[in-house]
Amino acid sequence: MISSLISHSWKEKMRSPIWAKNMLANLFLAFAAIMICSYMLILGISLKPLLYKFFPDEDPIQLVNGALIYYFFFEFTIRFFLQNVPVLSIQPYLHLPIKKGSIIHFMLRKSQLSVFNLMAIFTFTPFAIMGVGSEYGALAGFVWWLTIVGVAMTIHFATIFFKKKLNDMPNLLVGLWAVFLGLGALDYFEIVSLSSVSDMLFGAVIGQPAFAAVPIVLWLVFYRLNHVYLFNNTYPEELATKKEQAKISGDFAFLKRFGRIGELIALDLKLILRHKRPRNTLVMGGFLLFYGLIFYTQDTYMEKFDHMFLFVGIFITGIFLIQHGQFLLSWESSYFDFVLVRKTTFKELFEAKYYMFVAFATIAFVVSLGYAYFGWRIVLFNLAAYFFNIGVNAFIIMRLSMMSPKKIDLNKRAAFNYEGVGAAQFIIAIPVLLLPYLFYVPLAIAGYANMGLVLTAVVGLIGFLLRDKLLDWLTKEFTKKRHEIAAGFRAQ
């Protein structure tokens, strides 16, 4: 039975036209996975010598044990957004004389072959041998390693379970983040030291191997919870109506006051909110607003490399523009022929998308004003970046999105999904991130960094003032390529 399901899964992938068309992307993804696991293995081998070098007076095992809780918190966060839920075309099997429980067991067990699980194994296996095993014996090393694997697998199935339950309990995500933020606050204000708690928990396993049973039991508990949930929620009639239940209501009536442009913006917003992949660009854009904390909290950047803040500002105020805009036409690939014939001029189409990008960039800039806590100069960088995004980058991205766009299935998962990715997506990063430096760097080198920011902002402001001319140019370019783009979508 299991061998048949494996064979069916393999044939489904290899015979899929999407697999053949995205062969290069699949090979790249496989290569990236191999490289990540290789780097993690090298890190695991080098971990003990590196800790001895940088912390000669500290016990490396205690340091690793103290850091594990942060590692697993970070892993859970990354898994929540990037780890895909186990998928099998289960509907064709449900009417056959096959135990539904067996199919679900296969789905869950297959999901354990995840790159996230391999990352933990490749990173901590060498340390379990070279660090814990050499210091406390082979049994202690094995039990410590088993604990790491148990925690990683527990997080794996806990992530799947929480993502499934979010459909029924949307407030669950708020509760999870409240717990994480509460623990972070306790650690930040030194009320409770999470590293000490982590060292105590993982160190206890070395002294008393029986404690290793705890993460193994949790692993089995979450496995069982997933199995029960899937068993009770996989029926042919439910799968058939699943899409209707997932709709999000809302007509954005306030946009109607802006006429046809407002109606088109409302349609774009509905598309974003009602489909997985475009919705992910919005969610990730919200989280990446905190990207500046990586740089603004470091004295090195504040004192010596503040020119990097222009790049950070472009990223913060333009993250939605970059993520969503690069697939500008691909989002509508499934009904692109209708786009060409509906009672809307092409200029209105691009006007609506442009003003939507301006609105999101404005919201991002307003939110970024909180970074004034680290200095008002950061606000100047973000202001210059904001003007440059709405006056220059928006039009560059919209034009490059016309370069052989690929078809996208809106309801497919966003993580590790390379549908729609083409040459344009790699080219876009070059002008978007480097072009503002052409105006800023010469004056900064001459000692007039503030004037460089002013020039960058002025160039963007000029582009914004000339938006009608630039939108006319985009409309002409689209008119020339519209049939070629439509034929490409039909062929995919």
Side-chain angles (χ1 to χ4, degrees):
M1 180 61 199
I2 299 299
S3 61
S4 297
L5 290 174
I6 293 173
S7 175
H8 292 170
S9 298
W10 176 255
K11 289 175 181 176
E12 182 183 16
K13 283 190 175 182
M14 296 306 295
R15 293 175 180 177
S16 170
I18 296 176
W19 173 269
K21 290 177 182 177
N22 295 335
M23 181 63 72
L24 184 60
N26 291 325
L27 291 174
F28 173 78
L29 189 60
F31 177 75
I34 293 172
M35 290 299 295
I36 290 172
C37 290
S38 300
Y39 289 141
M40 290 299 175
L41 182 61
I42 294 171
L43 175 63
I45 295 172
S46 308
L47 190 56
K48 186 177 179 180
L50 287 173
L51 291 175
Y52 269 130
K53 179 178 179 180
F54 291 102
F55 304 97
D57 299 328
E58 301 286 342
D59 183 358
I61 297 175
Q62 289 185 349
L63 289 173
V64 171
N65 284 340
L68 281 173
I69 193 168
Y70 299 104
Y71 172 84
F72 286 121
F73 274 148
F74 176 75
E75 182 180 300
F76 178 83
T77 304
I78 296 299
R79 281 177 184 267
F80 191 86
F81 291 105
L82 298 183
Q83 178 177 296
N84 58 305
V85 177
V87 175
L88 180 69
S89 299
I90 195 172
Q91 195 168 11
Y93 297 97
L94 293 179
H95 70 285
L96 298 176
I98 302 172
K99 290 183 178 180
K100 186 165 61 173
S102 300
I103 302 174
I104 295 173
H105 276 305
F106 172 74
M107 289 173 55
L108 293 174
R109 289 168 185 171
K110 188 180 73 169
S111 74
Q112 293 176 116
L113 296 175
S114 166
V115 67
F116 295 105
N117 296 333
L118 294 176
M119 284 170 58
I121 293 172
F122 277 102
T123 302
F124 295 110
T125 298
F127 188 79
I129 298 171
M130 301 168 59
V132 181
S134 62
E135 188 76 22
Y136 295 97
L139 178 61
F142 173 74
V143 171
W144 187 84
W145 173 84
L146 192 63
T147 303
I148 297 296
V149 174
V151 174
M153 292 300 179
T154 299
I155 292 175
H156 171 78
F157 287 113
T159 304
I160 295 172
F161 182 72
F162 286 131
K163 292 180 78 169
K164 288 285 187 183
K165 293 296 287 184
L166 275 177
N167 296 327
D168 304 323
M169 303 169 60
N171 293 330
L172 182 61
L173 182 61
V174 178
L176 286 174
W177 281 108
V179 171
F180 287 163
L181 291 174
L183 292 173
L186 291 174
D187 188 54
Y188 179 80
F189 292 108
E190 298 182 350
I191 299 173
V192 176
S193 175
L194 293 183
S195 59
S196 300
V197 173
S198 178
D199 179 34
M200 179 184 68
L201 293 175
F202 288 97
V205 175
I206 299 175
Q208 182 52 260
F211 288 140
V214 175
I216 304 300
V217 171
L218 289 175
W219 175 3
L220 297 176
V221 167
F222 276 102
Y223 179 93
R224 182 61 183 171
L225 287 173
N226 278 283
H227 186 275
V228 171
Y229 181 85
L230 292 171
F231 190 89
N232 292 331
N233 291 275
T234 49
Y235 294 96
E237 60 274 14
E238 183 171 336
L239 292 173
T241 60
K242 185 176 180 182
K243 290 183 179 179
E244 295 181 7
Q245 296 172 350
K247 288 185 178 179
I248 298 174
S249 60
D251 57 359
F252 301 100
F254 70 93
L255 290 173
K256 292 181 180 179
R257 71 182 67 176
F258 299 105
R260 187 59 177 163
I261 302 300
E263 293 177 5
L264 291 172
I265 294 175
L267 287 174
D268 273 330
L269 291 175
K270 290 176 184 178
L271 180 144
I272 293 170
L273 294 176
R274 293 177 179 179
H275 299 91
K276 291 181 182 179
R277 190 165 174 190
R279 186 166 64 240
N280 185 73
T281 64
L282 184 62
V283 174
M284 290 300 294
F287 280 101
L288 289 174
L289 289 175
F290 299 98
Y291 182 68
L293 294 175
I294 299 175
F295 297 89
Y296 303 149
T297 56
Q298 303 294 323
D299 293 336
T300 303
Y301 289 106
M302 295 295 289
E303 297 172 1
K304 299 180 180 179
F305 300 103
D306 61 347
H307 57 273
M308 286 292 296
F309 295 161
L310 184 58
F311 162 78
V312 178
I314 292 289
F315 198 76
I316 289 175
T317 60
I319 184 59
F320 179 79
L321 164 65
I322 297 169
Q323 284 194 307
H324 190 84
Q326 62 181 322
F327 302 115
L328 190 70
L329 302 179
S330 297
W331 298 125
E332 300 176 302
S333 57
S334 59
Y335 56 92
F336 191 74
D337 289 331
F338 170 71
V339 173
L340 298 182
V341 298
R342 66 184 175 184
K343 294 181 180 180
T344 303
T345 65
F346 296 147
K347 184 175 181 180
E348 287 176 335
L349 176 71
F350 284 101
E351 275 186 297
K353 296 183 183 300
Y354 173 72
Y355 286 118
M356 181 179 69
F357 290 144
V358 171
F360 275 103
T362 303
I363 293 171
F365 172 71
V366 172
V367 173
S368 74
L369 291 176
Y371 287 126
Y373 173 81
F374 299 100
W376 283 103
R377 183 166 169 76
I378 292 174
V379 176
L380 297 178
F381 274 102
N382 289 343
L383 181 62
Y386 164 72
F387 280 123
F388 198 84
N389 275 328
I390 65 173
V392 179
N393 282 343
F395 299 105
I396 292 175
I397 291 174
M398 293 169 77
R399 176 60 185 89
L400 290 177
S401 69
M402 301 180 198
M403 292 177 54
S404 302
K406 310 294 183 187
K407 194 171 184 177
I408 287 179
D409 186 341
L410 297 176
N411 285 312
K412 283 192 174 180
R413 62 184 174 86
F416 301 111
N417 186 347
Y418 285 86
E419 277 188 0
V421 176
Q425 280 64 48
F426 295 98
I427 295 173
I428 280 175
I430 298 174
V432 167
L433 299 177
L434 297 183
L435 191 59
Y437 281 98
L438 291 180
F439 303 99
Y440 171 72
V441 168
L443 290 174
I445 293 175
Y448 301 100
N450 289 337
M451 291 303 297
L453 289 177
V454 171
L455 178 61
T456 305
V458 167
V459 170
L461 188 57
I462 291 172
F464 179 74
L465 295 175
L466 296 175
R467 59 189 180 279
D468 286 336
K469 297 292 184 182
L470 292 171
L471 287 169
D472 286 336
W473 168 66
L474 286 174
T475 303
K476 290 178 182 178
E477 293 297 315
F478 175 75
T479 304
K480 293 177 186 176
K481 298 173 68 68
R482 67 187 189 279
H483 296 302
E484 178 186 340
I485 295 171
F489 286 148
R490 292 189 208 107
Q492 295 176 41

